[in-house]
């Protein structure tokens, strides 16, 4: 790994040089980046109330109609703040992160708490699992001895998703979007659910040097391509219904799909010691991502940003794009020269528009506009925090393994007692629909000409 890091450092250091100061946040030096990131972290935490009396630890206000945010975005928030800690060393939120991550594990310690069953998707569970995996990889302080380790939690998520009960024969395999059969969306297989599974599998393969996880990751990638969710030009589409054998592909494209597969492919490249197959896959997907999701080198959500038809979920995707592409440059250093200058320019555009009230530092969503757009929320702030804190990658330690300094406690049998939900029969209402899956994006139907939207069968 030392030789890999020596290749990435020269390009990573570009991130902190020659940046023009923004109106509210300056990111022209490491000190200013640290200051900006600290302010952004404090801002995003104003949306979180789970550490207050009478509130539920781990979740952002919601789900709708109780609040704007679904369960999965809490898991995404803690991943963003774990990265913030990793890059800055600021421990301000560590206790809150630990409390939140452990509160939501559920009785079987697999990130399937009963209170979210009515909207529990494989992708929702996967986001919490990816944040737990990140905690293990960056050496985030271990939980108390009587609690499951970060590694064990990631393994529990993977094991429950690898269970044969979640991989039926429809569409020749693959995970469905929803986990309980009674949930609206159970008849849909999508890229993000399978992408989270692929991502965690690739990372467990590297962390534990275990081929079984790698085999699952490769099988998942092959299935996504085979079913047509990833085309020959490496465009990743949302998903399709099992009733049509996944032939009614919804061709909406979202940046977090590309990001989750990019990071997983980078880990497979690293695990296989730079195998040419994974180098080609990673390179091709990277080129497609830069082509589709960066407008003049600035992150742009092509499915919804032009007409601002983005849902609350979608308003958080740019942050995962920045964070996971940054980590990619550590795991697959050959990508750094191409990627880091783009991420630097995109981050500069991000902070330039953070001029909103009440403090003149509130961030909006449309980075390409150069001006604050009045679109505010946890996701919008997480985006900029992820982009800014990631600029410190040049001085950050690459993700570790259990052989290179990882201390997190694992459990290969984690998740063995988990609920299969095959007995669940309680119907849900329209208001129960949730999750990171894009089927919830009903508002996009109004974006005429953007893409042909799917029928939800309501």
């Amino acid at each position: 790994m030392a030789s890999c890091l020596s290749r990435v450092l020269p390009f990573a250091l570009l991130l902190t040089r020659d940046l023009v100061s923004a109106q509210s946040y300056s990111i022209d030096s490491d000190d200013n980046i640290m200051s900006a990131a600290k302010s952004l972290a404090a801002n995003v935490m104003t949306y979180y109330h789970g550490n207050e009396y009478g509130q539920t630890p781990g979740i952002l206000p919601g789900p709708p109609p109780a609040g704007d945010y679904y369960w999965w975005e809490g898991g995404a928030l803690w991943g963003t703040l774990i990265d913030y800690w990793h890059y800055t060393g600021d421990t301000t939120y560590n206790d809150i992160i630990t409390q939140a991550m452990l509160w939501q594990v559920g009785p079987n310690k697999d990130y399937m708490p009963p209170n979210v069953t009515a909207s529990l998707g494989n992708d929702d569970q996967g986001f919490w699992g990816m944040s737990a995996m990140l905690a293990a990889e960056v050496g985030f302080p271990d939980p108390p001895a009587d609690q499951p380790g970060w590694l064990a939690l990631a393994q529990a998520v993977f094991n429950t998703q690898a269970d044969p009960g979640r991989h039926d024969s429809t569409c020749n395999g693959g995970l469905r979007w929803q986990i309980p059969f009674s949930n609206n969306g159970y008849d849909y297989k999508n890229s993000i659910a399978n992408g989270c599974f692929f991502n965690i599998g690739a990372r467990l393969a590297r962390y534990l040097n275990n081929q079984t996880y790698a085999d699952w990751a490769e099988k998942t990638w092959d299935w996504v391509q085979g079913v047509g969710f990833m085309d020959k030009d490496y465009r990743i589409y949302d998903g399709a219904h099992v009733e049509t054998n996944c032939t009614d592909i919804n061709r909406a494209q979202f940046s977090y799909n590309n990001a989750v597969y990019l990071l997983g492919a980078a880990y497979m490249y690293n695990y296989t010691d730079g195998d040419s197959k994974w180098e080609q896959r990673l390179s091709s997907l990277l080129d497609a991502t830069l082509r589709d999701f960066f407008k003049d080198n600035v992150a742009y959500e092509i499915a919804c940003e032009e007409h601002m038809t983005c849902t609350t979920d979608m308003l958080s995707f740019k942050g995962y794009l920045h964070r996971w592409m940054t980590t990619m440059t550590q795991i697959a250093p050959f990508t750094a020269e191409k990627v880091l200058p783009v991420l630097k320019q995109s981050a500069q555009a991000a902070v330039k528009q953070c001029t909103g009230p009440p403090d003149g530092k509130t961030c909006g969503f449309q980075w390409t506009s150069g001006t604050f757009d009045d679109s505010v929320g946890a996701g919008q702030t997480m985006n900029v925090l992820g982009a800014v804190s990631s600029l410190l990658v040049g001085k950050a330690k690459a993700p570790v393994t259990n052989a290179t300094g990882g201390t997190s406690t694992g459990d290969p049998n984690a998740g063995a007692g988990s609920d299969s939900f095959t007995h669940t029969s309680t119907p849900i209402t329209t208001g129960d629909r949730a999750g990171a899956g894009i089927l919830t994006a009903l508002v996009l139907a109004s974006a005429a000409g953007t893409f042909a939207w799917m029928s939800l069968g309501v």
Side-chain angles (χ1 to χ4, degrees):
M1 183 57 69
S3 61
C4 290
L5 289 176
S6 66
R7 292 166 58 192
V8 71
L9 282 173
F11 303 110
L13 292 176
L14 289 172
L15 294 171
T16 59
R17 295 206 310 261
D18 302 325
L19 291 173
V20 179
S21 295
Q23 294 180 28
S24 296
Y25 293 116
S26 174
I27 52 174
D28 60 355
S29 68
D30 282 355
D31 286 345
N32 285 337
I33 292 169
M34 292 271 286
S35 177
K38 184 175 183 178
S39 178
L40 288 161
N43 190 323
V44 78
M45 287 301 288
T46 64
Y47 294 94
Y48 178 67
H49 304 291
N51 58 334
E52 299 172 5
Y53 179 78
Q55 300 298 313
T56 303
I59 63 172
L60 288 162
D68 291 337
Y69 305 96
Y70 288 110
W71 178 69
W72 76 275
E73 199 161 341
L77 170 63
W78 309 124
T80 301
L81 286 170
I82 290 169
D83 261 343
Y84 166 74
W85 164 82
H86 176 58
Y87 289 125
T88 67
D90 182 4
T91 62
T92 300
Y93 307 107
N94 283 16
D95 289 345
I96 296 175
I97 295 168
T98 299
Q99 179 199 41
M101 291 283 290
L102 295 178
W103 194 274
Q104 292 296 324
V105 298
N108 294 312
K109 300 177 175 58
D110 53 11
Y111 285 119
M112 292 196 293
N115 60 315
V116 300
T117 299
S119 58
L120 182 61
N122 281 296
D123 49 354
D124 304 66
Q125 183 194 24
F127 260 84
W128 286 89
M130 289 188 292
S131 291
M133 191 72 231
L134 174 64
E137 291 167 335
V138 299
F140 189 74
D142 293 325
D146 62 343
Q147 297 294 322
W150 305 126
L151 176 61
L153 288 168
Q155 288 174 299
V157 171
F158 180 87
N159 289 343
T160 58
Q161 296 193 350
D163 186 89
R166 294 206 196 175
H167 296 262
D168 56 57
S169 61
T170 60
C171 307
N172 200 33
L175 289 170
R176 293 176 182 246
W177 170 32
Q178 290 291 298
I179 299 173
F181 75 87
S182 59
N183 283 12
N184 193 309
Y186 182 75
D187 64 342
Y188 193 68
K189 294 191 174 184
N190 63 2
S191 293
I192 191 58
N194 288 278
C196 292
F197 181 60
F198 164 72
N199 182 292
I200 296 172
R203 294 161 74 174
L204 286 170
R206 176 181 177 270
Y207 192 94
L208 295 169
N209 191 29
N210 187 309
Q211 184 62 36
T212 299
Y213 295 114
D215 289 344
W216 267 110
E218 180 137 16
K219 178 181 178 181
T220 303
W221 178 284
D222 290 344
W223 179 82
V224 169
Q225 286 194 320
V227 79
F229 292 175
M230 184 188 300
D231 72 12
K232 63 181 179 60
D233 296 316
Y234 288 82
R235 293 181 177 89
I236 301 178
Y237 304 121
D238 188 65
H241 289 94
V242 299
E243 293 92 340
T244 69
N245 199 33
C246 291
T247 58
D248 65 331
I249 295 176
N250 170 16
R251 297 185 180 274
Q253 294 176 255
F254 300 96
S255 64
Y256 78 156
N257 278 327
N258 285 57
V260 79
Y261 284 94
L262 273 175
L263 184 57
Y267 273 88
M268 289 300 291
Y269 168 84
N270 187 288
Y271 171 74
T272 59
D273 295 321
D275 181 85
S276 58
K277 173 175 64 179
W278 284 105
E279 181 175 0
Q280 182 274 320
R281 288 173 168 178
L282 179 57
S283 296
S284 297
L285 182 56
L286 173 56
D287 287 343
T289 302
L290 294 172
R291 175 195 68 207
D292 293 342
F293 293 102
F294 287 86
K295 189 175 183 179
D296 297 325
N297 289 344
V298 177
Y300 185 80
E301 202 62 47
I302 57 173
C304 64
E305 187 164 344
E306 181 178 2
H307 302 289
M308 279 305 291
T309 52
C310 306
T311 64
T312 299
D313 287 356
M314 299 170 201
L315 293 171
S316 71
F317 291 173
K318 292 177 185 178
Y320 319 134
L321 184 67
H322 264 259
R323 287 174 48 220
W324 295 342
M325 289 181 74
T326 299
T327 304
M328 173 191 69
T329 67
Q330 293 183 299
I331 298 300
F334 78 89
T335 63
E337 184 174 11
K338 178 180 290 186
V339 170
L340 293 178
V342 175
L343 296 181
K344 176 183 69 175
Q345 187 172 339
S346 184
Q348 181 62 60
V351 297
K352 184 179 180 181
Q353 55 82 42
C354 292
T355 59
D359 58 358
K361 292 184 177 181
T362 298
C363 301
F365 179 70
Q366 296 174 283
W367 299 356
T368 58
S369 70
T371 58
F372 177 68
D373 64 358
D374 295 312
S375 176
V376 298
Q380 295 88 320
T381 311
M382 284 165 57
N383 290 340
V384 184
L385 173 59
V388 169
S389 59
S390 297
L391 294 175
L392 297 169
V393 66
K395 296 183 177 180
K397 186 177 181 180
V400 301
T401 70
N402 67 346
T404 61
T407 62
S408 189
T409 303
D411 179 2
N413 298 314
S418 296
D419 193 337
S420 67
F421 293 102
T422 55
H423 62 278
T424 304
S425 59
T426 303
I428 66 167
T429 65
T430 299
D432 286 326
R433 289 192 218 101
I438 305 307
L439 277 172
T440 59
L442 296 176
V443 67
L444 282 178
S446 64
T450 303
F451 47 78
W453 196 247
M454 59 195 300
S455 170
L456 290 178
V458 177

